[in-house]
Amino acid sequence: MPTTKRRIMVTETGALAHAMDVGRATTGLDGGQLIATMVVEHAREIEGSRHERMAALDELSQFAGYYPDGYLDEVRDGWPE
């Protein structure tokens, strides 16, 4: 993971201002330290969610080929209009 420090400028408006207020209240941090913490935590959540989705897809893949091609069309053909 890169450890290069970069300077960025962020304007605290709208949704970001609200997020900062929530972050300040829950962490006691402020400014750049708060933004950095929030970004890192959100990235972890996104990554965790991605891993969960991939695990679910992997689990579901065991059913691939369980039903023959055209099965759903045949079932739908039997449904009343």
Side-chain angles (χ1 to χ4, degrees):
M1 185 179 291
T3 57
T4 307
K5 290 187 178 185
R6 291 184 249 168
R7 262 190 206 279
I8 61 169
M9 292 185 62
V10 177
T11 302
E12 190 176 331
T13 59
L16 181 57
H18 175 71
M20 296 285 290
D21 290 342
V22 170
R24 284 182 196 104
T26 57
T27 66
L29 299 175
D30 200 10
Q33 192 176 24
L34 175 59
I35 291 172
T37 299
M38 291 171 71
V39 168
V40 169
E41 286 301 314
H42 188 63
R44 285 184 185 140
E45 288 177 22
I46 291 170
E47 190 173 37
S49 178
R50 182 179 160 274
H51 287 299
E52 287 175 14
R53 283 192 312 277
M54 295 305 289
L57 287 172
D58 190 44
E59 183 110 359
L60 288 171
S61 70
Q62 67 181 325
F63 297 109
Y66 187 77
Y67 294 101
D69 287 342
Y71 172 78
L72 282 179
D73 292 330
E74 289 177 24
V75 171
R76 290 180 183 127
D77 286 344
W79 290 347
E81 293 287 324

